[in-house]
Each structure stands twice: as C-alpha cells, then as structure tokens.
Amino acid sequence: MSDPTGLPKLFQPVRVGDTPLGHRVVFAPLTRCRANKRGMQTGIGVEYYAQRASFPGTLLISEATYVSSFAQGRSPHAPGIFNQEQIASWKRVRCTGGRGQRCVAHHGCSQVADAVHAKGSFIFMQIWALGRAARTATIERKEYPDLSCVSASDIPLKGRDDVGHPRPLTIPG
C-alpha cells in the first residue's frame, strides 16, 4: 500500500508523546553559548531558535542547559534553568505589577519558547550536568569556591588534564 500523500516518510507527520509534529526532521542541540553571564537567554537566543522553528511542526532540542549552579563548570555563557530569571528567559512570564516583586520580564526575559511556539513549532530542553567532565578550575571560580567535581565514580577522564579528579557521589554507610 502506497502513501496517499506521496511524501517520503521523513516529511510525514508523526506524534512524539503528546506532541504532534509536522514531519520527522528534528533540530538537534547545538551549543551556542550566547546566554549572558547570569545564564539567561538573550535576544539573540530568541532570534536563533525562532529562525530554526520557521517551518510549522518542527521539533527543536535546545542547547545544553545547566540544571544547577553546582552542575556548571565548562562553558561560562551556556544557559541555565535553575533560577527564576533563567526560567523567564526561556518562557513567558507575566508581570506581577506593583506587588513588590521584581518582574523578570522587564529585565532581559527573552521568551524563547514563545518565539518557537509562535511559529507553530515545539521545543524540548536538553538539560546538562557535567559530572566528571567539568573543569575544576571553572567550578572553583564560581560563587561556591568549596565545590568539588563529583561523578558516579572517582575515575577521571583519560587524556583530559583540564579536569580534576572527581569525588564519587556516595552515601556513607
């Protein structure tokens, strides 16, 4: 039985979970490092993702995004998702207007997800914690100088002199 649309399977709609995609081409994550020094997406990030969402029904996977300040240690301008300002830079936030709270939408909120959704496309976030691949020197320069590189084991990466010896994540017995 042939496909009635005549389109190759690659260009036929598909459902990923609850998300109806217009085709099977997915934009893979690329590290852009265009966030500001606080890990917030900027206007250039909104433009970047909106451009890649131009064909309705496209699925984009975001660049690697740090889940915690403790998970950083490699790319100083990679985005984060571990505080309200960073969250606001990925999605739309309504102004609290006059309730004594700072409205992050007026302080650099880029609204990446809104820009992608406005094009009729979808975005999933790739979350990032570096573990043993983190550069120890970068971690120690952050706001928590007592942090150490942790991983599932204490086995260091071979051939990587720029990373430290990880401390294994264990629960004392």
Side-chain angles (χ1 to χ4, degrees), residues 1-14 22-24:
M1 176 182 248
S2 65
D3 178 352
T5 66
L7 290 173
K9 199 153 189 94
L10 181 64
F11 301 109
Q12 293 176 19
V14 67
H23 50 83
R24 297 157 195 250

Side-chain angles (χ1 to χ4, degrees), residues 9 12 29 49 55 61 109-110 116 122 138 144 148-149 161 172:
K9 199 153 189 94
Q12 293 176 19
Y49 285 107
F55 192 87
I61 313 262
C109 178
S110 330
V116 170
F122 307 92
T138 304
Y144 304 102
S148 61
C149 180
D161 297 334

Side-chain angles (χ1 to χ4, degrees), residues 18-91:
D18 292 336
T19 307
L21 303 179
H23 50 83
R24 297 157 195 250
V25 178
V26 175
F27 182 77
L30 299 170
T31 304
R32 302 292 90 196
C33 293
R34 293 180 177 153
N36 67 20
K37 65 182 179 180
R38 295 187 320 271
M40 295 169 55
Q41 281 289 356
T42 61
I44 196 168
V46 174
E47 181 181 357
Y48 172 81
Y49 285 107
Q51 288 171 345
R52 281 132 191 94
S54 293
F55 192 87
T58 298
L59 173 61
L60 308 174
I61 313 262
S62 80
E63 63 196 291
T65 304
Y66 289 123
V67 297
S68 154
S69 63
F70 298 107
Q72 300 179 86
R74 191 165 183 84
S75 303
H77 287 280
I81 192 82
F82 55 87
N83 66 42
Q84 290 304 310
E85 285 184 317
Q86 293 166 345
I87 293 167
S89 74
W90 283 102
K91 68 177 188 170

Side-chain angles (χ1 to χ4, degrees), residues 81-139:
I81 192 82
F82 55 87
N83 66 42
Q84 290 304 310
E85 285 184 317
Q86 293 166 345
I87 293 167
S89 74
W90 283 102
K91 68 177 188 170
R92 186 176 180 178
V93 174
R94 295 190 186 276
C95 182
T96 57
R99 294 191 193 145
Q101 297 177 351
R102 184 173 137 191
C103 177
V104 293
H106 297 146
H107 294 88
C109 178
S110 330
Q111 304 170 2
V112 171
D114 281 354
V116 170
H117 296 159
K119 300 277 188 157
S121 291
F122 307 92
I123 186 165
F124 289 2
M125 180 174 284
Q126 175 189 198
I127 56 175
W128 196 16
L130 293 178
R132 70 184 187 152
R135 290 185 178 119
T136 307
T138 304
I139 291 173

